[in-house]
Amino acid sequence: GDSVTQMEGPVTLSEEAFLTINCTYTATGYPSLFWYVQYPGEGLQLLLKATKADDKGSNKGFEATYRKETTSFHLEKGSVQVSDSAVYFCALWKAAGNKLTFGGGTRVLVKP
Amino acid sequence: DARVTQTPRDKVTEMGQEVTMRCQPILGHNTVFWYRQTMMQGLELLAYFRNRAPLDDSGMPKDRFSAEMPDATLATLKIQPSEPRDSAVYFCASGSSGTSEQFFGPGTRLTVL
């Protein structure tokens, strides 16, 4: 079945550091790929998405590129802020089934 | 701005008691999802509805869990009887069929003593 694997956390960074969270997937067909973010005490929010190979999703300074050849969708941000402290989830979606498959989540803590 | 709402936000109960969690999806959305989040298991899909009909509840323990949509504005998740291992945060999400984005509610934190 489909699956998403992302790096385990926690990831602890200093403010203005570069952030990378690795995500790889296993799926048949042509899934869409997502990053969701969960701030403390809240539900998940869509951060960015990419629907086909080589698409780049971006939002709030975060970027991720859909790499079909490596089945990856790594999340990056060039300069993190304390407010980026959250749990980040990589996910895939296929129209058949209309369900999201989530990775295990990566907790990021940014220190001032 | 349209949001998914969930009640209660926090629930503490004793083992064996019935628990009902409610969700109001975003008006106009026709798909509703129930998820459970724990430290050990991460996010698990429990049930999925489209146009109020259950399409997939394979992730839900059938003996004690039930999910329904009495109408388009209300989804419920019931646990009877509750057990300590049910302690988790339960999220509801809604969306439109054929589109990928799901909008999550703030969750219900359940503690079963």
Side-chain angles (χ1 to χ4, degrees):
Chain A
D2 299 339
S3 66
V4 176
T5 303
Q6 55 184 111
M7 58 190 288
E8 289 193 21
V11 175
T12 303
L13 303 164
S14 296
E15 209 164 21
E16 299 184 1
F18 185 87
L19 170 68
T20 298
I21 304 175
N22 290 340
C23 170
T24 57
Y25 67 91
T26 301
T28 56
Y30 304 95
S32 295
L33 301 175
F34 303 82
W35 279 99
Y36 277 79
V37 60
Q38 182 181 27
Y39 298 105
E42 298 183 11
L44 281 71
Q45 305 173 25
L46 179 64
L47 180 59
L48 54 84
K49 69 178 182 182
T51 58
K52 62 183 188 298
D54 299 325
D55 268 3
K56 176 185 284 188
S58 61
N59 186 25
K60 299 182 180 180
F62 289 90
E63 291 183 341
T65 301
Y66 188 163
R67 301 287 189 200
K68 193 164 179 64
E69 64 276 13
T70 55
T71 63
S72 65
F73 192 54
H74 305 321
L75 182 68
E76 297 182 336
K77 186 174 185 182
S79 176
V80 292
Q81 305 299 313
V82 172
S83 57
D84 293 324
S85 298
V87 181
Y88 294 82
F89 291 90
C90 186
L92 68 83
W93 178 86
K94 293 196 296 191
N98 196 34
K99 293 186 290 185
L100 284 169
T101 301
F102 285 95
T106 302
R107 183 175 300 276
V108 172
L109 177 61
V110 181
K111 297 187 174 181
Chain B
D1 117 91
R3 298 186 183 201
V4 175
T5 59
Q6 290 186 246
T7 56
R9 292 294 310 275
D10 281 280
K11 176 72 176 179
V12 181
T13 191
E14 293 188 347
M15 183 173 62
Q17 296 299 305
E18 178 179 298
V19 175
T20 298
M21 292 168 270
R22 295 176 173 80
C23 166
Q24 182 172 11
I26 291 173
L27 190 65
H29 283 182
N30 67 336
T31 58
V32 172
F33 304 81
W34 282 105
Y35 293 90
R36 176 170 62 184
Q37 185 179 38
T38 61
M39 291 293 291
M40 295 300 294
Q41 300 296 326
L43 265 173
E44 305 172 275
L45 178 66
L46 298 176
Y48 160 37
F49 289 77
R50 185 169 68 207
N51 296 325
R52 297 176 53 202
L55 289 193
D56 185 354
D57 60 2
S58 58
M60 203 162 65
K62 300 293 191 301
D63 55 339
R64 299 181 299 107
F65 284 60
S66 62
E68 296 180 342
M69 283 200 71
D71 61 60
T73 64
L74 178 65
T76 62
L77 179 66
K78 187 177 296 186
I79 308 175
Q80 167 64 15
S82 58
E83 297 181 1
R85 59 180 166 150
D86 302 328
S87 297
V89 181
Y90 291 80
F91 289 104
C92 173
S94 71
S96 298
S97 58
T99 64
S100 54
E101 186 169 359
Q102 294 180 18
F103 295 80
F104 282 74
T108 294
R109 180 177 297 278
L110 174 65
T111 304
V112 183
L113 302 175

